[in-house]
Amino acid sequence: MLKYVLIPMIPLVTATIAGVFCRYLKEKAAWLTIAGLGTAFLLSISTLFDVMGGHTVNVNVFSWIVSDTFNVSIGIMVDQLTAVMLIVVTTVSFMVHIYSVGYMHGDPGYARFFSYLSLFTFSMLVLVMANNFLQLYVGWELVGLCSYLLIGFWFEKKSANDAAKKAFVVNRVGDFGFGLGIMMIFLYFGTLDYTQVFGAAPQHLNDAPLDIAGLQVGVITMICLLLFCGAMGKSAQLPLHTWLPDAMEGPTPVSALIHAATMVTAGVFMVARCSPLFNLSPTAMATVAIVGGVTAVFAATIGLVQNDIKRIIAYSTCSQLGYMFFACGVGAYTAGIFHLMTHAFFKGLLFLAAGSVIHALSGEQDIRKMGGIRKDIPVTYWTMVIGSLALAGIPPFAGFFSKDEILWLAFTAPGPGKFLWFLGAVGALLTAFYSFRLIFVTFHGKKRLDHHAEEHLHESPWVILGPLCFLATLAIVAGFVGVPHVLGGHNNFASFMAPVLGHHEAGHHPASLELTMMVISVAIATTGILFSAFVYLKRKEIAEAAARNFKPLYNLFYNKYYFDEAYDDIFVNSTKEISDDLWKKADASWIDGVVNGAAKVTQALARGLRRLQTGFVQHYAFGMVTGLFLLITIYLYMK
């Protein structure tokens, strides 16, 4: 039991020490937090072995809030889903901490940065180890706070401040619905404990439906939709996706840790954890699936034309999260979590490799100003190729096994399954194309570096390259824990997760059909890579001609479907106009008019009364005599 408590507590303690004593620890803060994360990582591995041995835990450590029937404890749940998330969070965080030693070297906020990283890790561990919805919500909001701190870490840059505020505000929109969903759970179930809520959920299927604007919505459906609002914000799904690309204003290790591997997967984890609720609502499941499928293609189209190396990978993250959600939406929760795990490794690798490129080019992020550098930074190049092959879903890399599982289970799912498979296939084609567009434009062809970047071009130090090599290894081998039966494996990952998420089968289909669909998915990805190579290595004029001939479509993709502009017009600018009107009319005219008017009246009276103060004794004596005369007159009159 102590071991499980120490997993989140050690990063919290090291984060606190590094933050409080940052002025004194300086560079030692990095090694303190790395030691803490290393310990948490080892304890997480031990926990995984415990769970594989059949030892799961669900205990309340102490009572937190007790008020009448509202009774919530701080608890710990360690099961198969928790064990996988612990490995993902601590592995990526540990690598990011080591990588940051080199990447953030010399930064004035060096110790503060490591404090924030460890605080984020603590928050994420609280989220995944919670055994009740209120503790989940606390971890949920803490990772949002840490995201704000890390995105805006370089607070002297206006763009970083704006991006941090945007992430915070957009997430508040989703979290408002998430909070309402938790309130509804307590209102109808009388508890926030996972086990009690999930056990009682079937009994609430016959509750009187809610009337929402004339629509009759079931209680369970309403709860699931509200919870999914939070997932849409945290995991950057349409229409709450706009914060994630802007979050690239933070340091690259932040992008790898929060916006590729851990925080953005919190929504997927929550939906999987709440699968007993979502399984009872076909409407909620269809909503999750369709939002995920549409986001997968939507974000991929934007990634086709971006030129910032980190933003390309950021839109890839939006797209891959869409795959995870539509897997959950068709009931394939295990496939969604499997892709969550593999994606964490190869996407963390891609972000850190992008950071290595930026480091080698003295801060340059525009891929149009790169090219021809693969021989100068060979380790970075090959690790990024490995990450891109995994992302594209090429066997035997990790992304192949998890993405293929999602596409196969979507294809065989009833309802919108075939449509979702089509969206997934289109997304896979686009993903392969833009992933290798990034590789070819960045590393191949002629050098397009400016003089300063070319003069200082160099491979990164091993404190940066070491985590790349480790994550590249995981991007190659992690998928083998889920080799499907049709390829001679036993799908061990699905069997391991079955006690928590159930065992979703594709139904009775011949092995030849599954193999055929697998070949099709690999062929789609291969086509995307080959076409990208043809366009960007052989016939570069094709890309330029396409941008000219399809300029409206190109501009639509390049400007991200104008979501930011629309939100500015609908919400931001309208709010500013309302605020200006309130200031000018209510504050300046009414409130200031009353306050200033009262002041003016007081000043006028004071000026009048001041004239009585002449400074002549005879005037004061006359006033006293007159007053005395009036008092005597009044007294005699009243008597």
Side-chain angles (χ1 to χ4, degrees):
M1 179 62 191
L2 177 61
K3 173 172 66 177
Y4 305 137
V5 173
L6 288 176
I7 292 175
M9 290 307 298
I10 291 175
L12 175 62
V13 171
T14 56
T16 303
I17 295 172
V20 173
F21 300 103
C22 59
R23 290 186 178 181
Y24 308 101
L25 291 173
K26 297 181 180 179
E27 294 190 359
K28 294 178 182 177
W31 299 110
L32 172 68
T33 55
I34 288 171
L37 259 297
T39 304
F41 171 65
L42 293 175
L43 292 175
S44 297
I45 293 175
S46 175
T47 300
L48 176 64
F49 282 113
D50 289 347
V51 174
M52 289 173 65
H55 181 68
T56 60
V57 172
N58 183 8
V59 296
N60 293 324
V61 180
F62 60 88
S63 292
W64 180 19
I65 303 173
V66 179
S67 178
D68 195 23
T69 59
F70 186 67
N71 191 332
V72 180
S73 298
I74 295 294
I76 290 177
M77 174 176 280
V78 176
D79 58 9
Q80 289 79 2
L81 180 57
T82 306
V84 170
M85 292 301 296
L86 288 178
I87 293 297
V88 169
V89 173
T90 57
T91 301
V92 177
S93 182
F94 187 36
M95 291 299 105
V96 167
H97 274 70
I98 295 173
Y99 176 96
S100 299
V101 171
Y103 193 86
M104 297 300 291
H105 179 71
D107 192 280
Y110 189 81
R112 175 169 56 90
F113 181 78
F114 281 91
S115 176
Y116 288 170
L117 284 184
S118 286
L119 183 62
F120 166 79
T121 308
F122 158 75
S123 305
M124 195 68 193
L125 292 171
V126 168
L127 189 157
V128 302
M129 298 183 76
N131 71 346
N132 64 77
F133 282 96
L134 188 59
Q135 190 175 334
L136 169 71
Y137 187 76
V138 170
W140 193 273
E141 294 302 319
L142 280 174
V143 294
L145 169 64
C146 293
S147 173
Y148 170 80
L149 295 173
L150 285 164
I151 295 170
F153 177 76
W154 286 322
F155 54 81
E156 67 278 1
K157 290 171 54 181
K158 184 179 184 301
S159 57
N161 282 324
D162 290 343
K165 288 185 287 187
K166 184 176 182 179
F168 197 79
V169 171
V170 172
N171 272 275
R172 295 292 69 69
V173 175
D175 292 354
F176 179 73
F178 188 61
L180 289 178
I182 292 175
M183 292 178 192
M184 280 193 65
I185 289 173
F186 181 74
L187 179 64
Y188 282 90
F189 291 85
T191 180
L192 294 177
D193 183 85
Y194 287 159
T195 304
Q196 296 179 40
V197 171
F198 298 155
Q203 302 170 20
H204 291 270
L205 280 174
N206 297 321
D207 287 352
L210 304 170
D211 191 323
I212 309 294
L215 296 176
Q216 301 298 306
V217 182
V219 170
I220 298 296
T221 296
M222 194 70 228
I223 289 173
C224 290
L225 291 176
L226 287 171
L227 293 177
F228 185 57
C229 284
M232 290 166 65
K234 199 68 72 184
S235 296
Q237 298 295 285
L238 275 169
L240 301 179
H241 66 287
T242 55
W243 68 270
L244 185 63
D246 287 6
M248 298 304 108
E249 288 293 336
T252 298
V254 173
S255 304
L257 178 62
I258 297 181
H259 309 113
T262 50
M263 176 183 139
V264 291
T265 61
V268 180
F269 164 80
M270 185 274 294
V271 171
R273 174 61 78 195
C274 297
S275 58
L277 292 177
F278 281 87
N279 286 335
L280 298 175
S281 174
T283 301
M285 292 282 282
T287 301
V288 172
I290 292 171
V291 168
V294 172
T295 303
V297 176
F298 164 83
T301 58
I302 298 175
L304 287 173
V305 297
Q306 299 302 305
N307 296 312
D308 184 297
I309 189 171
K310 288 171 65 177
R311 284 180 180 266
I312 296 170
I313 304 172
Y315 279 107
S316 167
T317 298
C318 288
S319 182
Q320 296 306 305
L321 289 165
Y323 278 96
M324 299 174 209
F325 275 115
F326 88 65
C328 293
V330 298
Y333 299 102
T334 296
I337 296 299
F338 186 25
H339 196 53
L340 182 157
M341 181 188 73
T342 60
H343 174 264
F345 300 141
F346 64 70
K347 187 55 63 65
L349 167 62
L350 285 172
F351 265 115
L352 295 183
S356 182
V357 172
I358 295 168
H359 179 80
L361 297 178
S362 304
E364 182 59 66
Q365 294 186 201
D366 191 333
I367 61 173
R368 294 171 298 183
K369 298 179 182 179
M370 300 179 187
I373 60 174
R374 68 184 188 278
K375 293 182 180 179
D376 297 290
I377 49 173
V379 178
T380 299
Y381 169 70
W382 285 111
T383 53
M384 202 160 192
V385 168
I386 290 170
S388 297
L389 288 169
L391 173 60
I394 299 298
F397 298 92
F400 161 72
F401 295 100
S402 56
K403 187 183 288 187
D404 182 76
E405 184 80 358
I406 291 174
L407 292 174
W408 168 243
L409 292 176
F411 182 80
T412 56
K418 299 291 192 299
F419 172 67
L420 292 170
W421 176 87
F422 174 75
L423 291 178
V426 172
L429 177 67
L430 298 179
T431 298
F433 181 85
Y434 69 69
S435 297
F436 278 84
R437 169 182 176 259
L438 186 154
I439 293 292
F440 297 139
V441 175
T442 301
F443 294 98
H444 292 259
K446 295 180 180 178
K447 287 184 179 180
R448 301 177 298 278
L449 311 181
D450 62 34
H451 176 72
H452 176 74
E454 187 165 8
E455 191 176 46
H456 294 86
L457 178 61
H458 62 284
E459 183 64 280
S460 300
W462 276 103
V463 72
I464 289 178
L465 298 179
L468 295 187
C469 294
F470 183 81
L471 289 173
T473 303
L474 292 178
I476 296 171
V477 305
F480 287 99
V481 300
V483 178
H485 297 284
V486 72
L487 293 180
H490 301 285
N491 207 342
N492 294 322
F493 189 84
S495 300
F496 176 70
M497 298 299 294
V500 180
L501 302 179
H503 199 70
H504 184 83
E505 296 287 352
H508 297 290
H509 298 280
S512 58
L513 177 61
E514 185 175 355
L515 283 172
T516 300
M517 298 309 298
M518 191 178 295
V519 170
I520 290 173
S521 66
V522 174
I524 289 171
T526 304
T527 300
I529 295 173
L530 293 177
F531 186 59
S532 180
F534 178 71
V535 171
Y536 292 101
L537 295 181
K538 299 293 185 182
R539 299 284 300 276
K540 296 179 182 178
E541 67 274 11
I542 292 178
E544 298 171 358
R548 286 194 309 269
N549 296 333
F550 300 96
K551 192 171 183 178
L553 189 62
Y554 176 85
N555 288 338
L556 183 68
F557 294 166
Y558 185 77
N559 292 290
K560 302 159 286 187
Y561 290 80
Y562 298 99
F563 264 88
D564 286 310
E565 291 79 1
Y567 286 172
D568 281 344
D569 289 340
I570 296 170
F571 301 112
V572 178
N573 294 334
S574 60
T575 302
K576 288 180 179 178
E577 289 174 5
I578 293 171
S579 299
D580 286 342
D581 288 341
L582 288 173
W583 170 67
K584 291 175 182 177
K585 294 178 180 178
D587 192 19
S589 299
W590 302 341
I591 298 175
D592 284 355
V594 171
V595 173
N596 294 338
K600 289 178 181 179
V601 170
T602 302
Q603 288 175 344
L605 289 173
R607 281 194 296 268
L609 292 172
R610 187 173 59 189
R611 293 175 182 174
L612 298 176
Q613 302 292 330
T614 63
F616 296 106
V617 176
Q618 59 268 32
H619 291 172
Y620 300 149
F622 176 77
M624 293 172 62
V625 171
T626 302
L628 182 61
F629 173 77
L630 290 173
L631 287 173
I632 293 171
T633 301
I634 293 170
Y635 173 75
L636 293 174
Y637 175 78
M638 294 184 65
K639 185 176 180 182

